[in-house]
Amino acid sequence: MSSHSLPRLIFINRYFHPDQSATSRLLSDLTFALADAEHNILLLTSQQRYDDPDARLPAREIRGRVKVHRLAGTRFGRITLVGRAIDYVSFYISMAVTLLKLARAGDTIVPMTDPPMLGLFAAPIARLKGCRIINWLQDLYPEVALAVGTPFLRPIVAKLIKAFRDRSLRAADCNVVIATAMAERVSTLDVKKERIKVIHNWVDDHALSPIPAHENPFRRAWGLEDKFVVGYSGNLGRVHDIDTILLASDELVGCQIVFLCIGGGAQYDVLKETAEKRGLTQLFRFMPYQSETDLPCSLSAADVHWLSHKPELEGLVFPSKFYGIAAVGRAIIAITSRQSELAELVSQYQCGLVIEQGDGKTLALELKRLKAAPEVCSAMGERARSMLRTRFTRAQAINAWAQTLRDIKHPPHR
């Protein structure tokens, strides 16, 4: 049988290598690994980069053994919700037309969730073409949009979208989710439990490894050598809490503590503007996204990292930053509910602290305590790295994906 007639894995996501956004890195890792294992892989993506809507990546190319089809679409970018919605719709249309043309009986289609609910649009094409479908759920929409108060999304519209989305989840061969709480949420939608698989996200745990502060060139270049650095790296968007950090900042002026924020996003801009208005420029440092090769140094530039997970988003998303922080052996300050899955992991492995959202005073006190006890902070980081190596390595995740694909291809008799 020629390679042109072999069943394929068709992955769909708006971003792919060389883009460095979170979903792109995950998808690139997975598809390159599967392609090396002789899977026949086709990738449908856009010609854009996450942080550069004007970029024009090649329409067709082969990356490793992955065939990449980059789709044409609008380029309004992430600045406004209306522009983002138009970009979403143009991607849906272009994706559907291309998938109708290229999908063949026996293929397995794996839509991610950027733009949201790709599986909803891919599902009817999969049925029409005789393909299997695996939804790779990084989040649950429209619930996330409702939780953060997205304008223009009327409850009646959200209810209608949710009904169609739920039907597509129930009809899928498998729904891969990224957290146990998300699996529990999906199971409440009348999706059979045997069609839900938890595969946690990951990072390159070989490339990302701890770098001691005194050996880190970024700490010297950014003037952080004599500071206790509280890091944040990646997108700081509307699903993330910044109020707790701002409340803590009032207690930390003059304490030789610095909040180092690396990345971008709507809340990143708000935090930066607020810090400037309050005259907190000595307490906060803001840096742009760093290249993949610089990530070990940029992540290791902090003594601890904070991340947030709003209680109302439990089971809808899970912060992938968790894995990168653990990989570089840094303590995790989780601003979240103590009943959340994130809090349970941090507490179970004693790899950081849990701070309730809005409790800036406790956060400030704990940061002062960690600054005064570097050995405690370091031990938390070591336990975070140990947790990652035990439960959340890239190899474990990719092996779980390979097994899931085998199970879909050869399902057990029921």
Side-chain angles (χ1 to χ4, degrees):
M1 184 181 294
S2 71
S3 61
H4 295 290
S5 59
L6 286 171
R8 296 164 300 176
L9 296 174
I10 303 177
F11 289 86
I12 311 170
N13 190 56
R14 197 152 55 117
Y15 300 107
F16 184 66
H17 188 85
D19 178 81
Q20 292 301 313
S21 61
T23 57
S24 174
R25 287 177 181 167
L26 291 165
L27 185 56
S28 301
D29 278 353
L30 179 60
T31 53
F32 292 152
L34 293 174
D36 286 343
E38 304 300 326
H39 286 276
N40 192 7
I41 295 178
L42 174 64
L43 207 300
L44 303 186
T45 187
S46 75
Q47 292 181 270
Q48 298 172 262
R49 292 177 185 264
Y50 179 84
D51 57 352
D52 184 8
D54 295 324
R56 290 187 178 273
L57 297 171
R60 302 285 184 275
E61 67 175 332
I62 296 178
R63 287 270 178 177
R65 296 180 180 177
V66 178
K67 296 178 182 177
V68 183
H69 280 243
R70 291 197 172 91
L71 312 175
T74 57
R75 297 170 174 272
F76 290 99
R78 304 177 57 82
I79 297 176
T80 67
L81 287 173
V82 173
R84 192 184 306 180
I86 294 171
D87 284 355
Y88 287 173
V89 171
S90 73
F91 187 86
Y92 294 141
I93 294 171
S94 188
M95 179 277 294
V97 170
T98 304
L99 193 59
L100 273 169
K101 179 181 177 181
L102 296 179
R104 302 190 299 250
D107 290 345
T108 298
I109 300 171
V110 186
M112 293 186 77
T113 46
D114 188 5
M117 300 179 297
L118 271 174
L120 177 61
F121 299 92
I125 299 172
R127 288 195 296 271
L128 179 66
K129 291 285 189 170
C131 303
R132 304 177 188 89
I133 188 164
I134 302 175
N135 292 308
W136 188 358
L137 303 174
Q138 295 292 316
D139 44 47
L140 286 179
Y141 271 76
E143 290 91 337
V144 169
L146 289 170
V148 300
T150 300
F152 317 119
L153 183 61
R154 304 295 183 187
I156 186 68
V157 175
K159 186 176 181 180
L160 183 63
I161 292 172
K162 185 176 180 298
F164 282 105
R165 191 280 317 274
D166 292 352
R167 192 162 77 173
S168 72
L169 296 181
R170 289 192 287 267
D173 295 274
C174 184
N175 297 283
V176 171
V177 298
I178 60 172
T180 302
M182 190 181 291
E184 293 169 355
R185 180 70 73 105
V186 172
S187 70
T188 67
L189 307 176
D190 292 329
V191 179
K192 294 179 180 178
K193 289 192 176 181
E194 60 266 27
R195 295 191 180 187
I196 304 170
K197 173 74 173 180
V198 179
I199 303 178
H200 295 272
N201 283 344
W202 64 88
V203 293
D204 185 342
D205 47 290
H206 293 289
L208 286 180
S209 57
I211 298 175
H214 67 276
E215 296 178 9
N216 193 324
F218 279 38
R219 284 186 72 107
R220 293 193 296 273
W222 292 343
L224 301 171
E225 291 174 288
D226 59 342
K227 309 293 185 183
F228 182 78
V229 182
V230 185
Y232 185 94
S233 181
N235 180 58
L236 187 55
R238 291 185 303 136
V239 301
H240 302 113
D241 167 67
I242 60 171
D243 293 338
T244 310
I245 295 297
L246 287 169
L247 288 169
S249 67
D250 295 332
E251 311 281 337
L252 297 173
V253 175
C255 294
Q256 294 296 93
I257 292 175
V258 169
F259 288 100
L260 173 65
C261 303
I262 303 172
Q267 293 287 74
Y268 176 98
D269 295 334
V270 172
L271 183 59
K272 185 176 182 180
E273 291 169 7
T274 305
E276 290 172 352
K277 287 179 182 177
R278 294 188 183 180
L280 298 173
T281 53
Q282 294 302 310
L283 185 61
F284 287 89
R285 304 280 178 85
F286 294 90
M287 298 293 173
Y289 285 102
Q290 302 298 300
S291 69
E292 184 176 19
T293 55
D294 286 336
L295 275 179
C297 286
S298 66
L299 286 173
S300 293
D303 297 289
V304 302
H305 280 259
W306 68 274
L307 51 79
S308 69
H309 188 65
K310 293 182 178 181
E312 60 268 30
L313 295 171
E314 181 69 4
L316 303 180
V317 295
F318 187 85
S320 292
K321 300 171 186 65
F322 174 79
Y323 307 104
I325 300 168
V328 296
R330 295 300 188 263
I332 299 166
I333 307 294
I335 300 173
T336 186
S337 164
R338 294 192 181 277
Q339 285 71 51
S340 70
E341 184 172 355
L342 173 62
E344 290 174 0
L345 285 168
V346 170
S347 299
Q348 177 185 351
Y349 289 96
Q350 301 178 34
C351 58
L353 300 171
V354 178
I355 305 293
E356 292 279 356
Q357 184 176 311
D359 192 356
K361 187 170 184 178
T362 297
L363 174 59
L365 288 171
E366 292 291 0
L367 290 177
K368 290 176 183 177
R369 181 175 70 86
L370 291 178
K371 178 180 180 295
E375 70 285 354
V376 173
C377 192
S378 177
M380 287 178 175
E382 290 172 4
R383 289 193 289 269
R385 174 74 179 176
S386 176
M387 171 193 65
L388 184 89
R389 299 294 294 167
T390 301
R391 288 191 56 183
F392 302 119
T393 66
R394 180 169 65 169
Q396 288 169 332
I398 289 174
N399 288 340
W401 262 103
Q403 184 60 54
T404 298
L405 292 167
R406 286 192 292 269
D407 292 343
I408 293 299
K409 189 174 182 180
H410 303 291
H413 294 293
R414 297 189 177 95

